């Protein structure tokens, strides 16, 4: 039987090699003196949704306005291309309104109006949606997750996109906000396969949009407002709870303990900035019917050493998350 050479790339902690393609090799069944790969096809775990990265306002702006058409196409093919053309990214996350990676602060309905008459995805149509569409043209199997950093300021206790929490009297309106977003995104060629109702709901940044939202209140919103609204509208966007760090597994467990909310929650999303990746397994053991997603980790001054960060990323995120039931990362 003919054996196909295996192409492979290497990155080293000292940065002497960065995604450097190496001499192809051929896999052998009898390589007793070489590193081995053991495949156990009968020991099945989770089905993978995919790997990828976020398409933020900032990255979409740069891709759409700072690159020539040829450079833009080359970059997107490097990221989303398959069959040897690129990395084959198959999962992406977009922000509903502004995040800390936006040119300015905005929501999709800044004018105080319970009827949402001024609702518009115009800002996302400028750069984010075109970038997602271009990525999907390269990889039609791309799955899209949507996450807001804050509800519109006038719906919150602070009256601002900065800090505060969502007022319960606006839960119905905010569910409508979500339906309008999903429909408008679809009209612009962007699906919403998954969503989380709030990015990092236990953190209130003081300089960019954010919103604290305790588990008991998230359960009410999901179980009595958004979940039923999506079902009644026939929208098959799957809800992921938490979308925050590993150090508080009690938060998604609290939401999933609510019988009504649990019906509408597809899974739990996690971030890397505190706690241990084993929390993913801890929650899944209690709710084995719920998916596990790893949805955010980024670098910063707290991880300045490339070698240490690279080793930690490979061990904890690429290997650790998938070994702890992560279906997407």
């Amino acid at each position: 039987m003919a054996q196909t050479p295996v192409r492979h790339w290497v990155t080293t902690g000292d940065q002497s090699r960065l995604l450097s393609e190496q001499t192809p090799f051929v896999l052998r069944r009898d390589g007793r003196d070489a590193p081995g790969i053991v495949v156990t096809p009968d020991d099945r775990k989770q089905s993978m949704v995919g790997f990828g990265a976020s398409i933020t306002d900032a990255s979409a702006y740069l891709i759409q306005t700072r690159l020539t058409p040829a450079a833009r196409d080359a970059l997107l093919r490097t990221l989303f291309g398959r069959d040897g053309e690129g990395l084959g990214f198959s999962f992406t996350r977009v922000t509903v309104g502004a995040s800390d990676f936006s040119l300015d602060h905005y929501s999709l309905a800044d004018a105080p109006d319970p009827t949402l008459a001024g609702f518009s995805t115009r800002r996302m149509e400028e750069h984010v949606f075109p970038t997602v569409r271009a990525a999907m043209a390269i990889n039609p199997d791309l799955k899209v997750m949507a996450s807001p950093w804050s509800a519109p300021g006038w719906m919150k206790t602070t009256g601002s996109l900065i800090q505060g929490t969502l007022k319960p009297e606006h839960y119905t309106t905010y569910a409508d906000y979500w339906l309008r977003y999903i429909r408008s995104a679809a009209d612009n060629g962007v699906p919403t396969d998954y969503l989380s109702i709030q990015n990092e709901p236990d953190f209130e940044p003081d300089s960019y949009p954010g919103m604290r939202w305790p588990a008991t209140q998230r359960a009410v919103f999901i179980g009595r407002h958004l979940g039923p609204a999506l079902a009644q509208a026939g929208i098959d966007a799957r809800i992921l709870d938490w979308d925050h760090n590993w150090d508080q597994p009690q938060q998604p467990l609290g939401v999933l303990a609510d019988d009504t909310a649990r019906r509408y929650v597809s899974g739990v999303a996690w971030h890397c900035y505190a706690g241990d990746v084993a929390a993913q397994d801890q929650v899944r053991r209690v709710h084995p019917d719920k998916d596990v997603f790893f949805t955010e980790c980024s670098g910063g001054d707290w991880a300045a050493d490339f070698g240490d960060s690279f080793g930690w990323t490979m061990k904890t995120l690429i290997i650790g998350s998938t070994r702890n039931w992560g279906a997407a990362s």
Side-chain angles (χ1 to χ4, degrees), residues 179-212:
L179 264 61
R180 289 172 184 249
Y181 165 75
I182 294 170
R183 287 168 173 153
S184 183
D187 289 343
N188 281 275
V190 175
T192 304
D193 299 294
Y194 300 90
L195 66 88
S196 69
I197 61 171
Q198 175 59 38
N199 172 73
E200 299 189 343
D202 196 51
F203 179 49
E204 293 178 80
D206 60 7
S207 59
Y208 61 86
M211 188 171 80
R212 192 176 297 275

mmCIF file of all heavy atoms in Angstrom, residues 179-212:
data_model
loop_
_atom_site.group_PDB
_atom_site.id
_atom_site.type_symbol
_atom_site.label_atom_id
_atom_site.label_comp_id
_atom_site.label_asym_id
_atom_site.label_seq_id
_atom_site.Cartn_x
_atom_site.Cartn_y
_atom_site.Cartn_z
ATOM 1 N N LEU A 179 -33.272 38.613 18.960
ATOM 2 C CA LEU A 179 -33.944 38.131 17.754
ATOM 3 C C LEU A 179 -33.660 39.047 16.570
ATOM 4 O O LEU A 179 -33.410 38.583 15.452
ATOM 5 C CB LEU A 179 -35.449 38.035 17.996
ATOM 6 C CG LEU A 179 -35.985 36.654 18.401
ATOM 7 C CD1 LEU A 179 -35.366 36.189 19.719
ATOM 8 C CD2 LEU A 179 -37.502 36.661 18.520
ATOM 9 N N ARG A 180 -33.672 40.346 16.816
ATOM 10 C CA ARG A 180 -33.397 41.296 15.740
ATOM 11 C C ARG A 180 -31.962 41.145 15.235
ATOM 12 O O ARG A 180 -31.712 41.223 14.024
ATOM 13 C CB ARG A 180 -33.649 42.730 16.220
ATOM 14 C CG ARG A 180 -35.128 43.047 16.415
ATOM 15 C CD ARG A 180 -35.307 44.411 17.080
ATOM 16 N NE ARG A 180 -36.704 44.693 17.364
ATOM 17 C CZ ARG A 180 -37.437 45.624 16.757
ATOM 18 N NH1 ARG A 180 -36.900 46.358 15.802
ATOM 19 N NH2 ARG A 180 -38.687 45.815 17.092
ATOM 20 N N TYR A 181 -31.028 40.945 16.173
ATOM 21 C CA TYR A 181 -29.644 40.754 15.740
ATOM 22 C C TYR A 181 -29.525 39.507 14.866
ATOM 23 O O TYR A 181 -28.923 39.547 13.779
ATOM 24 C CB TYR A 181 -28.686 40.631 16.928
ATOM 25 C CG TYR A 181 -27.356 40.082 16.456
ATOM 26 C CD1 TYR A 181 -26.468 40.895 15.763
ATOM 27 C CD2 TYR A 181 -27.039 38.734 16.606
ATOM 28 C CE1 TYR A 181 -25.278 40.393 15.248
ATOM 29 C CE2 TYR A 181 -25.852 38.218 16.098
ATOM 30 C CZ TYR A 181 -24.982 39.051 15.418
ATOM 31 O OH TYR A 181 -23.822 38.536 14.893
ATOM 32 N N ILE A 182 -30.047 38.386 15.318
ATOM 33 C CA ILE A 182 -29.899 37.125 14.588
ATOM 34 C C ILE A 182 -30.511 37.237 13.198
ATOM 35 O O ILE A 182 -29.923 36.780 12.202
ATOM 36 C CB ILE A 182 -30.540 35.973 15.391
ATOM 37 C CG1 ILE A 182 -29.753 35.735 16.694
ATOM 38 C CG2 ILE A 182 -30.597 34.693 14.562
ATOM 39 C CD1 ILE A 182 -30.438 34.802 17.664
ATOM 40 N N ARG A 183 -31.675 37.851 13.112
ATOM 41 C CA ARG A 183 -32.330 38.006 11.812
ATOM 42 C C ARG A 183 -31.554 38.949 10.900
ATOM 43 O O ARG A 183 -31.391 38.673 9.700
ATOM 44 C CB ARG A 183 -33.755 38.509 12.017
ATOM 45 C CG ARG A 183 -34.703 37.452 12.584
ATOM 46 C CD ARG A 183 -35.998 38.056 13.050
ATOM 47 N NE ARG A 183 -36.977 37.037 13.446
ATOM 48 C CZ ARG A 183 -37.944 37.244 14.331
ATOM 49 N NH1 ARG A 183 -38.075 38.446 14.910
ATOM 50 N NH2 ARG A 183 -38.790 36.283 14.639
ATOM 51 N N SER A 184 -31.068 40.053 11.448
ATOM 52 C CA SER A 184 -30.323 41.002 10.633
ATOM 53 C C SER A 184 -29.000 40.398 10.167
ATOM 54 O O SER A 184 -28.590 40.583 9.012
ATOM 55 C CB SER A 184 -30.062 42.289 11.423
ATOM 56 O OG SER A 184 -29.397 43.245 10.624
ATOM 57 N N ALA A 185 -28.326 39.675 11.065
ATOM 58 C CA ALA A 185 -27.080 39.013 10.669
ATOM 59 C C ALA A 185 -27.343 38.012 9.555
ATOM 60 O O ALA A 185 -26.590 37.943 8.567
ATOM 61 C CB ALA A 185 -26.447 38.325 11.878
ATOM 62 N N ALA A 186 -28.418 37.246 9.677
ATOM 63 C CA ALA A 186 -28.762 36.273 8.636
ATOM 64 C C ALA A 186 -29.059 36.974 7.313
ATOM 65 O O ALA A 186 -28.653 36.497 6.240
ATOM 66 C CB ALA A 186 -29.961 35.439 9.078
ATOM 67 N N ASP A 187 -29.766 38.101 7.379
ATOM 68 C CA ASP A 187 -30.043 38.864 6.160
ATOM 69 C C ASP A 187 -28.746 39.343 5.501
ATOM 70 O O ASP A 187 -28.711 39.586 4.289
ATOM 71 C CB ASP A 187 -30.925 40.073 6.473
ATOM 72 C CG ASP A 187 -32.353 39.685 6.816
ATOM 73 O OD1 ASP A 187 -32.751 38.542 6.505
ATOM 74 O OD2 ASP A 187 -33.062 40.518 7.413
ATOM 75 N N ASN A 188 -27.688 39.483 6.311
ATOM 76 C CA ASN A 188 -26.390 39.901 5.793
ATOM 77 C C ASN A 188 -25.452 38.723 5.530
ATOM 78 O O ASN A 188 -24.244 38.908 5.365
ATOM 79 C CB ASN A 188 -25.731 40.871 6.774
ATOM 80 C CG ASN A 188 -26.282 42.277 6.676
ATOM 81 O OD1 ASN A 188 -25.834 43.062 5.838
ATOM 82 N ND2 ASN A 188 -27.256 42.592 7.505
ATOM 83 N N GLY A 189 -26.026 37.524 5.489
ATOM 84 C CA GLY A 189 -25.241 36.352 5.142
ATOM 85 C C GLY A 189 -24.398 35.777 6.253
ATOM 86 O O GLY A 189 -23.485 34.983 5.998
ATOM 87 N N VAL A 190 -24.694 36.144 7.506
ATOM 88 C CA VAL A 190 -23.915 35.671 8.649
ATOM 89 C C VAL A 190 -24.819 34.868 9.584
ATOM 90 O O VAL A 190 -25.747 35.431 10.177
ATOM 91 C CB VAL A 190 -23.284 36.850 9.412
ATOM 92 C CG1 VAL A 190 -22.580 36.355 10.680
ATOM 93 C CG2 VAL A 190 -22.297 37.592 8.517
ATOM 94 N N PRO A 191 -24.584 33.585 9.742
ATOM 95 C CA PRO A 191 -25.420 32.775 10.634
ATOM 96 C C PRO A 191 -25.052 33.013 12.094
ATOM 97 O O PRO A 191 -23.984 33.538 12.412
ATOM 98 C CB PRO A 191 -25.084 31.344 10.222
ATOM 99 C CG PRO A 191 -23.658 31.428 9.768
ATOM 100 C CD PRO A 191 -23.535 32.783 9.085
ATOM 101 N N THR A 192 -25.950 32.638 12.987
ATOM 102 C CA THR A 192 -25.650 32.598 14.414
ATOM 103 C C THR A 192 -25.867 31.155 14.855
ATOM 104 O O THR A 192 -26.968 30.755 15.233
ATOM 105 C CB THR A 192 -26.552 33.554 15.222
ATOM 106 O OG1 THR A 192 -26.413 34.884 14.697
ATOM 107 C CG2 THR A 192 -26.164 33.556 16.696
ATOM 108 N N ASP A 193 -24.814 30.373 14.779
ATOM 109 C CA ASP A 193 -24.916 28.962 15.157
ATOM 110 C C ASP A 193 -24.968 28.807 16.672
ATOM 111 O O ASP A 193 -25.683 27.953 17.193
ATOM 112 C CB ASP A 193 -23.728 28.187 14.596
ATOM 113 C CG ASP A 193 -23.665 28.243 13.078
ATOM 114 O OD1 ASP A 193 -24.576 27.689 12.436
ATOM 115 O OD2 ASP A 193 -22.727 28.861 12.540
ATOM 116 N N TYR A 194 -24.202 29.646 17.368
ATOM 117 C CA TYR A 194 -24.143 29.617 18.826
ATOM 118 C C TYR A 194 -24.156 31.057 19.339
ATOM 119 O O TYR A 194 -23.752 31.985 18.634
ATOM 120 C CB TYR A 194 -22.858 28.931 19.317
ATOM 121 C CG TYR A 194 -22.725 27.492 18.865
ATOM 122 C CD1 TYR A 194 -22.090 27.188 17.662
ATOM 123 C CD2 TYR A 194 -23.236 26.446 19.632
ATOM 124 C CE1 TYR A 194 -21.966 25.869 17.232
ATOM 125 C CE2 TYR A 194 -23.113 25.131 19.212
ATOM 126 C CZ TYR A 194 -22.476 24.842 18.011
ATOM 127 O OH TYR A 194 -22.364 23.544 17.589
ATOM 128 N N LEU A 195 -24.605 31.221 20.582
ATOM 129 C CA LEU A 195 -24.542 32.527 21.211
ATOM 130 C C LEU A 195 -24.354 32.350 22.707
ATOM 131 O O LEU A 195 -24.742 31.346 23.292
ATOM 132 C CB LEU A 195 -25.802 33.347 20.922
ATOM 133 C CG LEU A 195 -27.134 32.855 21.512
ATOM 134 C CD1 LEU A 195 -27.369 33.408 22.926
ATOM 135 C CD2 LEU A 195 -28.297 33.262 20.604
ATOM 136 N N SER A 196 -23.707 33.335 23.319
ATOM 137 C CA SER A 196 -23.724 33.454 24.775
ATOM 138 C C SER A 196 -24.385 34.779 25.084
ATOM 139 O O SER A 196 -24.179 35.765 24.363
ATOM 140 C CB SER A 196 -22.315 33.392 25.361
ATOM 141 O OG SER A 196 -21.554 34.539 25.027
ATOM 142 N N ILE A 197 -25.172 34.830 26.136
ATOM 143 C CA ILE A 197 -25.938 36.045 26.403
ATOM 144 C C ILE A 197 -25.062 37.156 26.972
ATOM 145 O O ILE A 197 -25.451 38.328 26.951
ATOM 146 C CB ILE A 197 -27.120 35.780 27.346
ATOM 147 C CG1 ILE A 197 -26.636 35.264 28.717
ATOM 148 C CG2 ILE A 197 -28.095 34.803 26.709
ATOM 149 C CD1 ILE A 197 -27.741 35.187 29.753
ATOM 150 N N GLN A 198 -23.848 36.811 27.467
ATOM 151 C CA GLN A 198 -22.979 37.837 28.030
ATOM 152 C C GLN A 198 -21.545 37.334 28.095
ATOM 153 O O GLN A 198 -21.274 36.275 28.655
ATOM 154 C CB GLN A 198 -23.444 38.226 29.440
ATOM 155 C CG GLN A 198 -22.534 39.201 30.165
ATOM 156 C CD GLN A 198 -22.360 40.521 29.427
ATOM 157 O OE1 GLN A 198 -23.312 41.037 28.836
ATOM 158 N NE2 GLN A 198 -21.163 41.079 29.457
ATOM 159 N N ASN A 199 -20.625 38.100 27.551
ATOM 160 C CA ASN A 199 -19.214 37.819 27.733
ATOM 161 C C ASN A 199 -18.802 38.155 29.168
ATOM 162 O O ASN A 199 -19.112 39.232 29.668
ATOM 163 C CB ASN A 199 -18.383 38.668 26.759
ATOM 164 C CG ASN A 199 -16.895 38.564 27.036
ATOM 165 O OD1 ASN A 199 -16.275 37.550 26.751
ATOM 166 N ND2 ASN A 199 -16.320 39.623 27.606
ATOM 167 N N GLU A 200 -18.143 37.232 29.829
ATOM 168 C CA GLU A 200 -17.581 37.428 31.172
ATOM 169 C C GLU A 200 -18.562 38.118 32.125
ATOM 170 O O GLU A 200 -18.350 39.257 32.556
ATOM 171 C CB GLU A 200 -16.260 38.187 31.065
ATOM 172 C CG GLU A 200 -15.243 37.410 30.240
ATOM 173 C CD GLU A 200 -13.841 37.987 30.274
ATOM 174 O OE1 GLU A 200 -13.680 39.167 30.661
ATOM 175 O OE2 GLU A 200 -12.906 37.245 29.908
ATOM 176 N N PRO A 201 -19.639 37.422 32.493
ATOM 177 C CA PRO A 201 -20.696 38.040 33.297
ATOM 178 C C PRO A 201 -20.341 38.273 34.768
ATOM 179 O O PRO A 201 -21.187 38.784 35.515
ATOM 180 C CB PRO A 201 -21.854 37.046 33.164
ATOM 181 C CG PRO A 201 -21.197 35.733 32.913
ATOM 182 C CD PRO A 201 -20.008 36.051 32.069
ATOM 183 N N ASP A 202 -19.126 37.914 35.184
ATOM 184 C CA ASP A 202 -18.725 38.220 36.552
ATOM 185 C C ASP A 202 -17.595 39.250 36.579
ATOM 186 O O ASP A 202 -16.789 39.297 37.503
ATOM 187 C CB ASP A 202 -18.285 36.952 37.299
ATOM 188 C CG ASP A 202 -18.248 37.156 38.804
ATOM 189 O OD1 ASP A 202 -19.256 37.635 39.364
ATOM 190 O OD2 ASP A 202 -17.208 36.860 39.436
ATOM 191 N N PHE A 203 -17.539 40.100 35.549
ATOM 192 C CA PHE A 203 -16.476 41.097 35.450
ATOM 193 C C PHE A 203 -17.062 42.402 34.934
ATOM 194 O O PHE A 203 -17.802 42.413 33.958
ATOM 195 C CB PHE A 203 -15.378 40.595 34.504
ATOM 196 C CG PHE A 203 -14.241 41.550 34.303
ATOM 197 C CD1 PHE A 203 -13.609 42.158 35.372
ATOM 198 C CD2 PHE A 203 -13.794 41.845 33.018
ATOM 199 C CE1 PHE A 203 -12.554 43.043 35.185
ATOM 200 C CE2 PHE A 203 -12.732 42.723 32.813
ATOM 201 C CZ PHE A 203 -12.110 43.317 33.908
ATOM 202 N N GLU A 204 -16.738 43.494 35.610
ATOM 203 C CA GLU A 204 -17.195 44.819 35.187
ATOM 204 C C GLU A 204 -15.982 45.696 34.908
ATOM 205 O O GLU A 204 -15.506 46.413 35.794
ATOM 206 C CB GLU A 204 -18.051 45.466 36.279
ATOM 207 C CG GLU A 204 -19.372 44.776 36.543
ATOM 208 C CD GLU A 204 -20.131 45.456 37.678
ATOM 209 O OE1 GLU A 204 -20.766 46.506 37.414
ATOM 210 O OE2 GLU A 204 -20.071 44.957 38.809
ATOM 211 N N PRO A 205 -15.459 45.684 33.689
ATOM 212 C CA PRO A 205 -14.323 46.561 33.375
ATOM 213 C C PRO A 205 -14.731 48.016 33.502
ATOM 214 O O PRO A 205 -15.893 48.378 33.289
ATOM 215 C CB PRO A 205 -13.985 46.187 31.934
ATOM 216 C CG PRO A 205 -15.237 45.576 31.388
ATOM 217 C CD PRO A 205 -15.897 44.888 32.532
ATOM 218 N N ASP A 206 -13.750 48.872 33.852
ATOM 219 C CA ASP A 206 -14.069 50.283 34.084
ATOM 220 C C ASP A 206 -13.764 51.183 32.901
ATOM 221 O O ASP A 206 -13.938 52.406 32.985
ATOM 222 C CB ASP A 206 -13.322 50.795 35.323
ATOM 223 C CG ASP A 206 -11.803 50.689 35.180
ATOM 224 O OD1 ASP A 206 -11.324 50.356 34.080
ATOM 225 O OD2 ASP A 206 -11.101 50.932 36.185
ATOM 226 N N SER A 207 -13.315 50.599 31.780
ATOM 227 C CA SER A 207 -12.936 51.449 30.651
ATOM 228 C C SER A 207 -13.477 50.958 29.310
ATOM 229 O O SER A 207 -13.210 51.586 28.285
ATOM 230 C CB SER A 207 -11.407 51.558 30.573
ATOM 231 O OG SER A 207 -10.828 50.271 30.418
ATOM 232 N N TYR A 208 -14.198 49.871 29.301
ATOM 233 C CA TYR A 208 -14.807 49.381 28.064
ATOM 234 C C TYR A 208 -16.087 48.624 28.407
ATOM 235 O O TYR A 208 -16.331 48.295 29.585
ATOM 236 C CB TYR A 208 -13.837 48.531 27.248
ATOM 237 C CG TYR A 208 -13.312 47.280 27.921
ATOM 238 C CD1 TYR A 208 -14.022 46.077 27.879
ATOM 239 C CD2 TYR A 208 -12.077 47.291 28.579
ATOM 240 C CE1 TYR A 208 -13.536 44.929 28.471
ATOM 241 C CE2 TYR A 208 -11.577 46.142 29.171
ATOM 242 C CZ TYR A 208 -12.307 44.965 29.118
ATOM 243 O OH TYR A 208 -11.812 43.826 29.717
ATOM 244 N N PRO A 209 -16.948 48.330 27.438
ATOM 245 C CA PRO A 209 -18.235 47.716 27.739
ATOM 246 C C PRO A 209 -18.106 46.410 28.517
ATOM 247 O O PRO A 209 -17.219 45.591 28.268
ATOM 248 C CB PRO A 209 -18.844 47.481 26.351
ATOM 249 C CG PRO A 209 -18.235 48.554 25.508
ATOM 250 C CD PRO A 209 -16.829 48.700 26.016
ATOM 251 N N GLY A 210 -18.994 46.240 29.464
ATOM 252 C CA GLY A 210 -19.047 45.028 30.273
ATOM 253 C C GLY A 210 -20.327 45.042 31.090
ATOM 254 O O GLY A 210 -20.969 46.088 31.264
ATOM 255 N N MET A 211 -20.687 43.877 31.626
ATOM 256 C CA MET A 211 -21.945 43.805 32.373
ATOM 257 C C MET A 211 -21.928 42.593 33.297
ATOM 258 O O MET A 211 -21.700 41.470 32.847
ATOM 259 C CB MET A 211 -23.127 43.717 31.392
ATOM 260 C CG MET A 211 -24.490 43.840 32.048
ATOM 261 S SD MET A 211 -25.825 43.992 30.834
ATOM 262 C CE MET A 211 -26.054 42.280 30.343
ATOM 263 N N ARG A 212 -22.149 42.847 34.575
ATOM 264 C CA ARG A 212 -22.244 41.740 35.527
ATOM 265 C C ARG A 212 -23.646 41.138 35.457
ATOM 266 O O ARG A 212 -24.641 41.865 35.388
ATOM 267 C CB ARG A 212 -21.947 42.229 36.948
ATOM 268 C CG ARG A 212 -21.747 41.091 37.950
ATOM 269 C CD ARG A 212 -21.368 41.642 39.325
ATOM 270 N NE ARG A 212 -20.104 42.361 39.292
ATOM 271 C CZ ARG A 212 -18.912 41.777 39.407
ATOM 272 N NH1 ARG A 212 -18.824 40.459 39.547
ATOM 273 N NH2 ARG A 212 -17.813 42.499 39.389
#
